[in-house]
């Protein structure tokens, strides 16, 4: 009886939230038949490591086939190169600072609406198959959710293939399904190291060609990429067998592994490919700047509605239909090094247009002492954070067109001061619109989380004995659950 009552209450709460969302949603030419939407998300894979993005040494035939059948985006970005903050943008249409999930393993704000309520109110079933990494459940009320499945001999769990296939074969109403793979995220397959010539190297790892341990790790990563490709092949087979051509299929990966936790392109730039027969011209490419916050507004326009809620993103549906118009002049990024295994106080923000990229490191060694407080323990952790990234200057500026791997910092070059000033001002204005914790705080905010506190030993980091358990509740600016 109690279980039945709980289910009834949960169902009523879900229906109430959908009704409230519907009341805030303005219909515009609602299609008579809604398309199905499938979004496949890989985990921790660099945009550079696909055949269709230029790496012919990695095995990605299913992704490459999608690119041949649809549109490949050359300038797609997430706003934060960490799993939970990246996913929260997809599902809410808001950057991590505005939706609340700007620290890994933490929650979106309770009051935020997500794709489940927005699309649910428009007639879709909204389904999650695989890795979640987002919370709370009051925000993410999936109509169906299937967890990853263990597979013997695999370093990672698999997507729930049987549930996906059964659902697609028997779906009775339009649906939006997010299939979230746990590949190629480490732990990788244990395989022998490839020869250097059989791996693709870039400016950021070129010096490691002779490092056998590194080549072994990269070889396992390549093997995990290939394994994820088999999962994608299976999903595409189910889509082609059970669903009509009126199905939008999007492939992406949540962020790059080589730039994880950073605001460099190798972390924030993501693969993004869309296939929609009859709508998207096959074999096309787009250079438009698009962002993960654009996904939900796009899906809502496809569903025939726009929300009165102010998303950070914009719909790129016109681009899918062949428009050459830009929807963004710039995209933005956030770096938060607290709340992770190697937690340290070193926040950064970035702004990027198609030509230049500006980064500000708010606790660089150059400005560290300006962040000091009257508390010697707080100052000790501010100093530890700054010195951990001692080679990172206060400002960075890159000519992305001529220096795509961000190797030549132009921030102090007299020839580029106009560009630096323009971007830095725009970045600070954006931070204000996001209610950024760095905008509100004159010093350097400390973030307390349930995991990976600054003053406690962690799996990969030893805190000095003199600094163990010294921080008090009042020393923290932000608390994240």
């Amino acid at each position: 009886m109690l279980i039945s009552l709980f289910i009834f209450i949960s169902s009523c709460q879900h229906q109430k939230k959908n009704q409230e969302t519907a009341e805030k949603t303005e219909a515009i030419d609602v299609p008579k038949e809604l398309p199905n939407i499938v979004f496949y998300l890989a985990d921790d894979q660099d945009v550079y490591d696909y055949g269709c993005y230029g790496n012919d040494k990695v095995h990605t035939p299913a992704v490459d086939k999608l690119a041949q059948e649809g549109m490949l985006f050359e300038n797609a970005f997430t706003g934060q190169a960490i799993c939970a903050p990246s996913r929260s943008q997809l599902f809410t249409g808001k950057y991590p600072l505005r939706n609340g999930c700007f620290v890994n393993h933490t929650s979106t704000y309770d009051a935020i609406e997500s794709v489940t309520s927005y699309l649910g109110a428009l007639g879709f079933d909204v389904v999650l198959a695989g890795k979640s990494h987002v919370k709370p459940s009051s925000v993410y009320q999936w109509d169906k959710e299937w967890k990853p499945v263990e597979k013997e001999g695999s370093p990672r769990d698999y997507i729930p293939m049987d549930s996906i296939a059964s659902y697609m074969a028997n779906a009775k109403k339009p649906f939006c399904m997010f299939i979230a793979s746990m590949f190629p995220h480490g732990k990788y397959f244990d395989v022998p190291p490839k020869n250097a010539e059989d791996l693709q190297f870039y400016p950021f790892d070129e010096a490691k060609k002779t490092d056998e341990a590194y080549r072994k790790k990269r070889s396992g990563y390549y093997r995990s990429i290939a394994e994820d490709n088999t999962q994608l092949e299976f999903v595409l087979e189910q889509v082609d067998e059970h669903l009509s051509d009126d199905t939008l299929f999007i492939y992406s990966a949540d962020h790059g592994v080589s730039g994880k936790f950073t605001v460099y392109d190798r972390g924030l730039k993501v693969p993004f490919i869309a296939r929609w027969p009859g709508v998207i011209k096959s074999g096309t490419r787009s250079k438009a700047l698009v962002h993960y916050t654009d996904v939900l507004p796009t899906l809502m326009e496809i569903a025939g509605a726009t929300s009165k809620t102010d998303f950070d993103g914009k719909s790129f549906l016109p681009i899918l239909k062949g428009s050459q118009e830009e929807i963004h002049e710039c995209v933005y990024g956030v770096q938060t090094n607290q709340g992770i295994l190697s937690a340290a106080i070193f926040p950064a923000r970035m702004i990027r247009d198609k030509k230049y990229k500006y980064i500000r490191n708010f606790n660089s060694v150059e400005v560290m002492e300006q962040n000091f407080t009257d508390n010697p323990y707080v100052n000790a952790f501010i100093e530890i954070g700054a010195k951990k990234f001692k080679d990172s200057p206060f400002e960075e500026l890159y000519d992305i067109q001529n220096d795509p791997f961000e190797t030549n910092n132009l921030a102090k070059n007299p020839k580029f001061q106009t560009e630096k000033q323009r971007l830095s001002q725009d970045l600070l204005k954006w931070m204000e619109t996001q209610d950024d914790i760095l905008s509100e705080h004159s010093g350097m905010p400390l973030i307390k989380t349930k995991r990976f506190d600054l003053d406690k030993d962690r799996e990969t980091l030893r805190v000095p004995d003199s600094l163990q358990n010294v921080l008090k509740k009042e020393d923290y600016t932000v608390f994240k659950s």
Side-chain angles (χ1 to χ4, degrees):
M1 181 65 181
L2 287 175
I3 294 175
S4 298
L5 179 60
F6 174 78
I7 293 172
F8 174 75
I9 292 172
S10 299
S11 176
C12 289
Q13 290 173 338
H14 192 178
Q15 292 173 12
K16 181 181 179 183
K17 192 157 191 176
N18 280 352
Q19 182 179 358
E20 290 172 349
T21 305
E23 291 172 355
K24 295 188 294 184
T25 302
E26 178 184 356
I28 51 166
D29 299 328
V30 178
K32 293 181 180 178
E33 293 186 7
L34 296 171
N36 293 312
I37 300 164
V38 180
F39 193 115
Y40 190 102
L41 189 68
D43 197 352
D44 279 27
Q45 185 169 346
D46 289 348
V47 66
Y48 317 114
D49 294 329
Y50 296 85
C52 55
Y53 281 97
N55 184 349
D56 61 1
K57 296 178 180 179
V58 69
H59 186 75
T60 57
V63 183
D64 301 342
K65 185 173 184 291
L66 270 177
Q68 293 169 1
E69 297 172 344
M71 178 179 289
L72 179 148
F73 287 81
E74 298 180 7
N75 290 302
F77 291 85
T78 179
Q80 194 165 356
I82 316 179
C83 291
S86 185
R87 291 157 197 267
S88 71
Q89 298 164 79
L90 282 175
F91 300 148
T92 67
K94 293 180 169 65
Y95 277 96
L97 291 162
R98 281 193 72 209
N99 73 49
C101 183
F102 61 92
V103 181
N104 211 22
H105 305 286
T106 62
S107 300
T108 301
Y109 293 136
D110 288 339
I112 294 290
E113 299 281 351
S114 81
V115 63
T116 60
S117 52
Y118 280 121
L119 290 190
L122 294 168
F124 284 86
D125 269 350
V126 189
V127 179
L128 178 64
K131 179 176 178 177
S132 173
H133 220 304
V134 291
K135 57 184 179 181
S137 58
S138 59
V139 171
Y140 302 104
Q141 298 182 352
W142 309 102
D143 291 295
K144 295 186 185 299
E145 180 178 359
W146 307 302
K147 302 296 185 182
V149 177
E150 290 186 18
K151 185 173 181 180
E152 187 176 354
S154 170
R156 304 290 287 174
D157 292 345
Y158 277 60
I159 59 173
M161 294 184 178
D162 292 344
S163 297
I164 292 169
S166 176
Y167 183 89
M168 289 184 178
N170 298 287
K172 303 300 182 185
K173 61 183 292 189
F175 66 86
C176 175
M177 180 184 292
F178 291 92
I179 302 175
S181 171
M182 297 186 75
F183 284 97
H185 190 298
K187 181 181 177 181
Y188 303 131
F189 281 95
D190 185 5
V191 298
K194 292 178 178 287
N195 295 324
E197 58 267 23
D198 296 321
L199 298 168
Q200 186 71 44
F201 289 88
Y202 305 95
F204 55 80
D205 67 352
E206 190 78 26
K208 297 182 179 180
K209 281 186 175 181
T210 59
D211 185 335
E212 184 171 329
Y214 181 78
R215 286 190 285 108
K216 179 176 176 61
K217 181 179 179 181
R218 292 291 291 179
S219 299
Y221 165 66
Y222 274 35
R223 173 68 183 84
S224 292
I225 289 173
E227 192 68 13
D228 194 44
N229 190 85
T230 65
Q231 295 189 118
L232 178 59
E233 286 177 337
F234 173 84
V235 172
L236 289 172
E237 288 172 359
Q238 302 309 307
V239 170
D240 293 342
E241 179 178 352
H242 299 300
L243 304 180
S244 69
D245 281 349
D246 195 17
T247 298
L248 170 61
F249 194 103
I250 298 175
Y251 173 90
S252 190
D254 60 350
H255 56 77
V257 64
S258 297
K260 192 168 185 174
F261 308 123
T262 78
V263 286
Y264 295 116
D265 271 17
R266 59 184 181 269
L268 296 181
K269 196 171 187 179
V270 295
F272 201 90
I273 298 167
R275 184 188 76 172
W276 193 0
V279 178
I280 298 173
K281 185 178 179 181
S282 62
T284 53
R285 300 174 78 95
S286 174
K287 295 183 180 297
L289 282 172
V290 297
H291 196 272
Y292 268 14
T293 57
D294 300 327
V295 170
L296 181 53
T298 302
L299 300 186
M300 296 210 34
E301 184 174 2
I302 289 170
T306 57
S307 172
K308 295 177 182 177
T309 302
D310 57 329
F311 294 125
D312 287 328
K314 300 177 182 179
S315 171
F316 54 77
L317 180 58
I319 296 173
L320 297 180
K321 292 181 176 181
S323 171
Q324 300 299 311
E325 293 185 15
E326 298 283 348
I327 62 171
H328 295 295
E329 291 184 7
C330 301
V331 292
Y332 303 89
V334 176
Q335 175 177 318
T336 304
N337 283 283
Q338 297 181 63
I340 60 177
L341 273 172
S342 54
I345 303 173
F346 197 80
R349 306 290 184 261
M350 84 87 188
I351 179 173
R352 185 197 195 282
D353 58 25
K354 281 190 171 181
K355 185 165 177 55
Y356 294 104
K357 180 178 194 174
Y358 174 79
I359 299 171
R360 179 169 291 190
N361 298 304
F362 286 83
N363 192 34
S364 76
V365 171
E366 294 175 40
V367 297
M368 171 187 71
E369 293 185 4
Q370 299 174 26
N371 296 323
F372 283 167
T373 70
D374 295 332
N375 186 323
Y377 293 126
V378 170
N379 294 345
F381 286 105
I382 289 174
E383 184 172 357
I384 288 172
K387 290 185 175 179
K388 180 179 179 180
F389 298 91
K390 63 182 185 302
D391 296 327
S392 296
F394 177 58
E395 295 182 299
E396 300 176 62
L397 179 71
Y398 299 101
D399 180 348
I400 293 294
Q401 286 186 346
N402 297 308
D403 180 23
F405 290 100
E406 299 155 288
T407 60
N408 182 24
N409 183 9
L410 304 171
K412 294 183 178 181
N413 188 319
K415 296 180 180 179
F416 295 91
Q417 295 310 297
T418 299
E419 286 78 10
K420 186 181 81 170
Q421 185 70 12
R422 170 179 62 85
L423 290 173
S424 64
Q425 289 177 350
D426 287 348
L427 176 63
L428 293 174
K429 290 177 183 176
W430 175 79
M431 289 171 61
E432 290 181 6
T433 68
Q434 294 286 306
D435 292 325
D436 196 318
I437 58 173
L438 290 170
S439 298
E440 299 171 352
H441 192 73
S442 59
M444 189 51 46
L446 272 64
I447 303 172
K448 182 172 179 57
T449 64
K450 289 184 178 180
R451 304 174 65 183
F452 317 132
D453 284 343
L454 292 166
D455 60 348
K456 294 179 176 60
D457 279 343
R458 298 177 290 285
E459 182 181 331
T460 58
L461 189 65
R462 170 72 179 168
V463 177
D465 290 343
S466 60
L467 295 176
Q468 292 269 359
N469 304 308
V470 297
L471 295 175
K472 298 179 173 58
K473 182 178 180 179
E474 57 267 26
D475 297 329
Y476 290 93
T477 310
V478 181
F479 291 81
K480 294 298 294 180
S481 60

